[in-house]
Structures are given as structure tokens and as C-alpha cells.
Amino acid sequence: MVVTTTLASSNTILPTPHNSSASLSSSNPQSVHFSPINRRELVTSLFITISPFFAAPQVNNPTNANPFSLPLSEARGLFQMPPVRLTNRYYLVRAGESEYESLGIINTNPVAKTSVDNGLSEMGKKQAVRAALTLKSMGACEGNLWIWPSITQRAYQAAEIIAAVCGISRSHIVPEYSFLDARGLGAYEGKKLDSISEVYASDSLSPNTKPPPIDDGTPNESVSDVFVRVTQLMSILETQYSGDTVIIVSPDSDNLTVLQAGLVGLDLRRHRDLAFVPGEVRFVDPSSIPAYKQPASAVYKCLNPPNCN
């Protein structure tokens, strides 16, 4: 027997046994009777049947409050700049002078970042020691401390010096392989350090302007490119740690100035105003926003700092 059902009307006819025990043993099709079932009742019964499979997991909530209302300390969303709050304490450190910098040469090609020539110069080693002592005097060595240096030679060497002065295990040094690379300056690679002022002049007009490209593998990064990298770094740190102290060690100034500008909501075109000298240490104070100054070009208006185009 073929039974055809339809939901076109408000009532649906479904086969239901008149007597369950009799219907299971009877081979006579005439013994099967049909009774009307309201469609709304059918849908309701189906919902009740399947709802346990979609129920949310129970939360330990003795106060009978809404189980989906978590305290701010437990509810972490997508990290944004500037942040509403920070769950950790952060110190920004620029590594000491490198061998290339001591010669007055720009070197930002990531291929050479672990080479000896990218290590600390004699002056750079002294600057790194002073930075470590400054961090200790600022209380950065207290509590649960993590050091996140770029894998670039000079930054990692500085991190090792900081760890030794703070008396923490090398296991608390977490090398960063890409997000803290020195800003790639493209065609300025190999030029004199003082030519970098041309890059900063372009930065002051738009954070999207890139240095001219070069074909030797050196990236040509805009301020916005660096901003994306350091925002990703902060997202990792804010997710991985809570209530800890994190020391970020960068091989150059631009990573840190763009990061600090983002954290305090400063127009990215002004990141150079926050320049770090080799070996400089700075505590991140999200409530400290530098006084706004008119950008170099009045054509560009920043309505949503630090995201300014």
C-alpha cells in the first residue's frame, strides 16, 4: 500500500495503529487506521525530540545567572587597535645597535636576519645591558615574565641579555619568526641610514605608501603592512597569556612605533613621533595618548585613528 501525505492543509493525515499490539502482528492492511494530527503539534513534538542534540553545554553557574554572560576576564573577542583593555603588561624594547647600523648601512632583508653581521655591535651589547638593567629597575622582571624577541640576530641576543639580568630561564624566551621582522625598506636596502628620512616623509602623508621595490627579496613595506603584523602579534599575546608580563624586543624602531601608535590610538602617519633609539625601553600605557598634531598634509583627514588612509 502506498501512502501519500501532504502538508498543504493545516491537518496532516498519518497512519497510526488503532491497537499497537494488534497492528504489529496483523498482516491485514485493513487493520491500519488513520487519525488526524495537527501540523503544529507535529512540529512541536519534533522540536522537543531533537532539541537535546543542540543544547548548549552547561556552565558551572551556582548563582543561576545567564550561562552565556561571562565576566570580561573570560570573554575575549577579536583583538582590535586601539584595544579596550590589555590583559598583560607590556614593555617595548628596541635591540641595541647592529653591526650594519654601526657602519651606517640599511639592512632589512629577512634572508640575512640571522647572520652574524646582523648581531649586536660592541656598542649594541652595552645598550642591551643598559636596557636590561632599566627593565629590572622598572619592575619588569617581577612575576611571570615572557620575552618575545624577533629571531633577527641582534634582537635575540638582546633577549638573552635581558633574561640573564632578570634571572629567568631561557625557556621563557619565545622567538618570533615573522611578525617582528625589521620593516622591509625595498630599494633603500644597502643605502646609507640617513636616506631613511625619505621613507618617513612619505609615511607622514599616507600609511599606505610603500618604499620603491627591489628584486633582491627585500620586502617594501608600508606603515599599514607593519600595522597588520604587529596587530597579529598582539592578538596572539593577548590570547596566549593573561596577567603576565611580556617584553617585546624588536630589531628596529618602526615595529615599535607603529605598535605603540596603534595601542594608544595615534594617527599612524605620526608613528615617527614615537621613534625608539637603539636600546630604548618603554612601558606600554594605553591611557597615554600623545597630543594630536596636524598631519603634514591637510588633504588627508583621520576620522578613525590609527586606521588612517
Side-chain angles (χ1 to χ4, degrees):
M1 177 179 63
V2 178
V3 179
T4 304
T5 63
T6 177
L7 295 181
S9 61
S10 61
N11 292 327
T12 302
I13 305 299
L14 294 177
T16 56
H18 181 69
N19 184 297
S20 58
S21 60
S23 61
L24 291 175
S25 60
S26 174
S27 60
N28 184 4
Q30 298 301 323
S31 65
V32 178
H33 296 270
F34 297 88
S35 14
I37 295 179
N38 186 280
R39 186 173 62 177
R40 180 175 297 176
E41 294 175 354
L42 175 62
V43 173
T44 302
S45 64
L46 287 174
F47 175 77
I48 294 172
T49 303
I50 67 174
S51 60
F53 296 99
F54 296 96
Q58 294 298 314
V59 178
N60 184 14
N61 191 15
T63 60
N64 294 323
N66 183 348
F68 300 103
S69 299
L70 298 178
L72 286 177
S73 60
E74 299 178 24
R76 298 189 189 182
L78 181 66
F79 186 83
Q80 295 180 334
M81 293 279 206
V84 176
R85 62 189 176 87
L86 292 173
T87 60
N88 303 293
R89 292 196 311 156
Y90 293 94
Y91 292 85
L92 308 182
V93 180
R94 178 179 174 181
E97 177 190 72
S98 71
E99 294 287 357
Y100 275 112
E101 289 172 328
S102 69
L103 299 174
I105 298 174
I106 295 174
N107 181 270
T108 61
N109 192 325
V111 173
K113 63 185 177 183
T114 58
S115 71
V116 176
D117 290 337
N118 248 318
L120 294 170
S121 66
E122 288 304 313
M123 175 63 71
K125 293 174 183 176
K126 296 176 182 178
Q127 292 168 337
V129 171
R130 283 198 295 268
L133 293 173
T134 300
L135 285 164
K136 189 170 186 178
S137 68
M138 294 172 71
C141 299
E142 302 170 2
N144 200 27
L145 171 62
W146 299 91
I147 305 174
W148 275 62
S150 164
I151 197 62
T152 303
Q153 186 79 346
R154 62 184 179 275
Y156 196 84
Q157 288 176 339
E160 291 180 315
I161 293 173
I162 293 169
V165 171
C166 286
I168 66 167
S169 168
R170 289 169 61 96
S171 63
H172 276 236
I173 300 177
V174 184
E176 219 311 303
Y177 288 87
S178 59
F179 293 149
L180 282 174
D181 284 356
R183 178 185 178 185
L185 296 179
Y188 286 90
E189 185 75 1
K191 292 187 176 182
K192 293 294 184 180
L193 273 176
D194 55 11
S195 64
I196 201 172
S197 60
E198 299 172 13
V199 177
Y200 294 138
S202 297
D203 289 351
S204 67
L205 298 178
S206 171
N208 296 323
T209 303
K210 296 175 178 284
I214 194 172
D215 58 5
D216 69 348
T218 303
N220 58 320
E221 293 185 294
S222 66
V223 172
S224 294
D225 294 331
V226 177
F227 180 71
V228 169
R229 288 198 282 110
V230 296
T231 300
Q232 291 172 322
L233 172 67
M234 288 301 300
S235 180
I236 293 172
L237 295 175
E238 283 292 280
T239 301
Q240 188 164 333
Y241 306 116
S242 180
D244 294 346
T245 298
V246 181
I247 298 174
I248 298 173
V249 186
S250 170
D252 69 347
S253 174
D254 285 2
N255 282 333
L256 302 178
T257 57
V258 173
L259 173 56
Q260 188 175 10
L263 290 172
V264 302
L266 181 68
D267 185 337
L268 290 179
R269 291 170 295 181
R270 291 186 52 211
H271 79 95
R272 184 60 181 165
D273 293 352
L274 304 172
F276 284 68
V277 297
E280 184 172 353
V281 176
R282 207 172 291 172
F283 174 66
V284 173
D285 182 5
S287 64
S288 177
I289 301 177
Y292 182 79
K293 292 191 296 187
Q294 185 71 14
S297 173
V299 174
Y300 296 96
K301 302 296 182 182
C302 183
L303 301 179
N304 184 31
N307 299 306
C308 307
N309 295 317

